[in-house]
Amino acid sequence: MVVLGILLGLLGLGVIGFAASARVVHQFEKGVVFRLGRVQTPPRSAGLTMIIPVVDRLRKVNAQIVTLPVPAQDGITRDNVTVRVDAVAYFRVRDPVRATVEVQDYQFAVLQVAQTSLRSIIGKSDLDDLLCNRESLNQGLALMIDSPATGWGIEIDRVEIKDVALPESMKRSMSRQAEAERERRSRIITADGEFQASQKLAAAASVMAETPAALQLRLLQTIVEVAAEKNSTLVLPFPVELLRFLDEAARKVGNRSSGVNPGPGQDDAERESTRSASAGGATANGSESAPPAPVRVMAGGPAPPAPSPGR
């Protein structure tokens, strides 16, 4: 009985010792063992590991990628615009021994470095870069955070700028700028369309000038298009060429009534002079005017004066 009691006691002590020394490290963790205050390398891998009770102390370090939100930081850009920018950082522990020994709290340290780096990147950038060119800013921000974090055994996976908050006055200014840009584009497109349309119309007018019947066909086509609308009122354009033809016909009728037969090559001034010549050479008192006296020009001296009608 005594021997059995001793064996049971030893078995109990063994179970208690095993329970006190056995540790389980998960797959996503690394175990750092401190023996009497001195770190033991290499760190313990995943699975069941044994430590010396009372002498060893095991500290587990998470090796997963940690998502660290960076609080929004107020800053002034290089072009003197007040903005509020927040970001998010992704990092993981590459060297658990250095992350445990070199820095007291590596997550808090990375957070503080990310905040200062974000304020620094805001002051070095323009507003347009923060709004449109975020890829290069993200790379520069990740490089600024990774420089001190490498000495702590931390690897920065990536850093992303989430949001850029602008003042209300700046938002209104940007909206007015966008409206002005849209208005400029619309005016340019309209002017370009009118220019192209004028070129096509000029070409069509030159073709119709060579063939007058084309104008009548175009007029008939317009009538057909208007009639397809089933309107009660039809607006018919009157061609200017027809007005010119009627004016020319009225002028010819007036010339015939006054006894003038203008030639085909005479213009309006010649027709008017012909009309005045056909009225006769009667003077104001009813007598005919005398024909002008002939004038002879002699070589070598001035021409003699013309004889008066009384001589």
Side-chain angles (χ1 to χ4, degrees):
M1 291 296 294
V2 176
V3 176
L4 182 59
I6 295 174
L7 291 177
L8 291 176
L10 293 176
L11 182 60
L13 291 176
V15 171
I16 294 173
F18 178 80
S21 61
R23 295 290 185 273
V24 176
V25 180
H26 295 87
Q27 185 67 38
F28 55 86
E29 293 176 339
K30 296 293 184 180
V32 179
V33 178
F34 291 90
R35 180 168 296 170
L36 297 178
R38 297 179 63 88
V39 65
Q40 301 296 313
T41 56
R44 304 293 176 88
S45 59
L48 181 64
T49 183
M50 304 299 293
I51 62 174
I52 302 175
V54 181
V55 177
D56 293 345
R57 184 171 61 89
L58 178 66
R59 182 173 181 180
K60 300 177 182 179
V61 179
N62 193 345
Q64 291 177 313
I65 294 179
V66 180
T67 302
L68 182 65
V70 182
Q73 303 295 315
D74 294 327
I76 300 177
T77 61
R78 191 168 56 182
D79 50 353
N80 299 325
V81 179
T82 303
V83 295
R84 186 178 180 86
V85 183
D86 58 349
V88 58
Y90 303 90
F91 68 93
R92 65 190 306 172
V93 177
R94 280 298 183 185
D95 191 349
V97 175
R98 299 180 66 179
T100 306
V101 175
E102 299 294 336
V103 61
Q104 181 180 7
D105 188 352
Y106 63 88
Q107 291 191 6
F108 182 74
V110 172
L111 177 61
Q112 296 302 314
V113 172
Q115 292 181 9
T116 55
S117 301
L118 182 59
R119 286 194 294 267
S120 177
I121 207 71
I122 290 173
K124 296 179 181 178
S125 306
D126 294 331
L127 180 60
D128 294 338
D129 295 335
L130 289 174
L131 297 176
C132 304
N133 193 18
R134 293 189 181 182
E135 292 297 330
S136 60
L137 295 181
N138 292 337
Q139 295 176 2
L141 186 59
L143 183 61
M144 293 177 65
I145 301 175
D146 188 64
S147 297
T150 303
W152 304 334
I154 307 298
E155 179 187 5
I156 303 298
D157 186 71
R158 61 185 305 172
V159 182
E160 296 284 345
I161 295 177
K162 292 197 300 183
D163 188 23
V164 178
L166 298 175
E168 293 297 330
S169 58
M170 181 58 63
K171 291 181 180 179
R172 290 193 295 268
S173 300
M174 294 177 66
S175 63
R176 289 195 298 268
Q177 179 184 1
E179 291 176 0
E181 179 66 20
R182 294 292 180 181
E183 184 69 21
R184 182 185 68 86
R185 292 181 183 178
S186 64
R187 290 184 179 180
I188 291 176
I189 293 174
T190 302
D192 191 15
E194 292 180 354
F195 176 71
Q196 295 180 7
S198 63
Q199 290 180 337
K200 298 297 182 181
L201 290 175
S206 58
V207 172
M208 289 183 180
E210 298 176 358
T211 308
L215 184 61
Q216 299 299 328
L217 294 176
R218 179 58 182 163
L219 177 60
L220 295 176
Q221 183 180 1
T222 304
I223 295 174
V224 172
E225 292 176 357
V226 175
E229 300 292 334
K230 297 181 182 180
N231 296 326
S232 59
T233 303
L234 179 62
V235 179
L236 182 63
F238 203 74
V240 181
E241 286 76 8
L242 186 56
L243 292 177
R244 292 175 181 173
F245 174 74
L246 295 177
D247 186 23
E248 186 69 23
R251 186 178 301 168
K252 290 181 179 179
V253 171
N255 292 335
R256 287 176 188 157
S257 62
S258 61
V260 179
N261 188 14
Q266 293 178 335
D267 55 1
D268 293 341
E270 293 176 351
R271 294 169 187 170
E272 185 65 26
S273 62
T274 305
R275 187 183 299 110
S276 61
S278 62
T283 59
N285 56 3
S287 61
E288 295 182 356
S289 59
V295 178
R296 292 183 301 169
V297 180
M298 298 179 63
S308 61
R311 292 181 182 177

